[in-house]
């Protein structure tokens, strides 16, 4: 008997992305959406795809993801973001897995799409991420940003990818980067990390060179240049926030 699969997603005002994500989940036995008071059509769209929608106030990404995981009735679960879309080949690969206990989780590569360009180079492209796992062996670290799944057991890797449609608007990209960077700076402070005044200053040029040249985003054209700039900006904001918090203390 094949193992049943639950898919879970957390949402907030994702009407632009969520239908594209959900329409590929026809193979799932259960779709759980945990929404944090969306004011657009996100919830209505999810219900059209027969997803079970649960409303929950947002605390942080780790806690929200763990709550969504806890709502799943099946052991094998797939964690998705609203801007991620499974390819047909990946769906077939998942459906054909034996899930016999050889592995307790699977890494899935992602194709990176930024400002409507499919990236062929860079560390973000095809970078495997742990998203499919047995919930009896896995849980989320309940941190405020960059939530991480921990699985106690063997981890396999799937061959086929999902597509990550990050942002298609420059202003949204800047704002999103700043939001995550500020949360990351706060998290560093809460973990006892400290920095020197020079670090935010030097992080920008060094991060830009690392992402643009050494990670080969220069080969992704104009969008690769913008991605590198925004990555550098986010690194600057993270350490500027950390510095601000430690000086206030």
């Amino acid at each position: 008997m094949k193992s049943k699969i639950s898919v879970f997603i957390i949402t907030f005002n994702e009407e632009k992305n969520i239908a594209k994500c959900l329409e590929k989940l026809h193979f799932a036995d259960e779709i759980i959406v945990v929404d944090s008071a969306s004011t657009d059509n996100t919830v209505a769209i999810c219900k059209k795809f027969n997803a079970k929608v649960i409303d929950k106030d947002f605390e942080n990404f780790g806690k929200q993801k763990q709550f969504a995981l806890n709502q799943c009735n099946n052991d094998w679960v797939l964690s998705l973001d609203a801007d991620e879309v499974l390819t047909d080949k990946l769906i077939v690969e998942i459906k054909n897995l034996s899930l016999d206990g050889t592995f307790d989780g699977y890494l899935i590569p992602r194709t990176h799409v930024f400002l409507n360009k499919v990236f062929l180079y860079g560390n973000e492209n095809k970078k495997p991420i742990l998203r499919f796992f047995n919930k009896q062996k896995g849980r989320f670290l309940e941190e405020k940003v960059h939530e991480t799944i921990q699985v106690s057991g063997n981890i396999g890797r799937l061959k086929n990818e999902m597509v990550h449609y990050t942002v298609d608007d420059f202003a949204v990209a800047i704002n999103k980067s700043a939001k995550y960077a500020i949360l990351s700076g706060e998290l560093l402070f809460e973990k006892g990390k400290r920095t020197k005044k020079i670090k935010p200053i030097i992080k920008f040029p060094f991060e830009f060179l690392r992402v643009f040249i050494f990670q080969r985003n220069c080969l992704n054209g104009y969008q690769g240049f913008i991605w590198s700039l925004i990555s550098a900006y986010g690194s600057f904001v993270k350490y500027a926030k950390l510095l601000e918090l430690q000086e206030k203390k």
Side-chain angles (χ1 to χ4, degrees):
M1 180 178 177
K2 293 287 290 184
S3 297
K4 291 186 175 182
I5 296 172
S6 296
V7 180
F8 63 97
I9 308 165
I10 65 172
T11 57
F12 173 70
N13 288 350
E14 293 286 356
E15 66 177 6
K16 189 175 182 180
N17 298 309
I18 194 65
K20 190 187 298 185
C21 174
L22 292 173
E23 67 186 7
K24 290 292 187 178
L25 302 183
H26 49 81
F27 69 95
D29 299 285
E30 177 184 53
I31 302 173
I32 301 292
V33 173
V34 175
D35 185 77
S36 50
S38 288
T39 56
D40 63 3
N41 292 317
T42 298
V43 171
I45 295 170
C46 291
K47 289 182 177 179
K48 286 182 179 179
F49 286 90
N50 297 317
K52 180 180 179 182
V53 181
I54 302 166
D55 188 57
K56 182 183 182 300
D57 290 339
F58 185 85
E59 294 181 68
N60 65 46
F61 287 98
K63 288 184 178 181
Q64 199 81 347
K65 285 277 191 175
Q66 183 61 42
F67 176 83
L69 170 60
N70 292 341
Q71 309 314 304
C72 296
N73 290 309
N74 300 309
D75 284 344
W76 277 95
V77 296
L78 175 64
S79 172
L80 288 179
D81 291 338
D83 58 3
E84 294 172 336
V85 179
L86 306 185
T87 59
D88 291 337
K89 288 183 178 180
L90 176 59
I91 293 169
V92 171
E93 187 176 6
I94 290 174
K95 289 171 67 175
N96 288 336
L97 289 173
S98 63
L99 303 179
D100 58 0
T102 302
F103 295 107
D104 300 297
Y106 289 90
L107 298 167
I108 301 176
R110 292 191 300 181
T111 294
H112 182 59
V113 181
F114 178 69
L115 298 182
N116 297 313
K117 181 180 179 65
V118 178
F119 278 28
L120 299 178
Y121 305 93
N123 280 19
E124 294 295 325
N125 192 52
K126 306 297 184 185
K127 181 179 180 180
I129 185 168
L130 180 59
R131 289 299 186 83
F132 187 50
F133 61 100
N134 186 326
K135 74 173 186 178
Q136 300 300 328
K137 298 292 186 71
R139 61 179 297 275
F140 284 88
L141 295 181
E142 296 185 356
E143 295 184 338
K144 62 172 60 180
V145 65
H146 300 311
E147 68 280 359
T148 303
I149 300 168
Q150 282 192 334
V151 170
S152 58
N154 296 321
I155 305 298
R157 179 170 176 170
L158 301 183
K159 295 178 180 179
N160 296 290
E161 75 276 2
M162 57 183 172
V163 183
H164 185 203
Y165 295 93
T166 53
V167 293
D168 59 7
D169 181 274
F170 178 75
V172 172
I174 288 288
N175 292 333
K176 188 174 181 180
S177 176
K179 174 185 174 181
Y180 280 94
I182 289 170
L183 290 173
S184 295
E186 291 173 349
L187 183 60
L188 286 178
F189 182 77
E190 292 166 7
K191 289 185 173 182
K193 303 293 184 181
R194 298 298 180 262
T195 190
K196 298 183 182 297
K197 288 185 177 180
I198 190 65
K199 192 158 189 177
I201 298 172
I202 65 174
K203 283 297 289 185
F204 186 94
F206 278 98
E207 182 68 9
F208 175 79
L209 288 173
R210 186 178 74 87
V211 178
F212 188 63
I213 301 297
F214 296 109
Q215 292 186 6
R216 301 194 301 163
N217 274 286
C218 54
L219 301 177
N220 287 319
Y222 173 76
Q223 288 88 343
F225 174 73
I226 297 299
W227 175 259
S228 303
L229 277 179
I230 290 176
S231 297
Y233 168 71
S235 185
F236 160 75
V237 171
K238 177 171 69 173
Y239 284 96
K241 183 62 180 179
L242 174 59
L243 182 63
E244 176 190 63
L245 290 172
Q246 72 184 51
E247 289 191 340
K248 282 183 178 179
K249 183 180 179 182

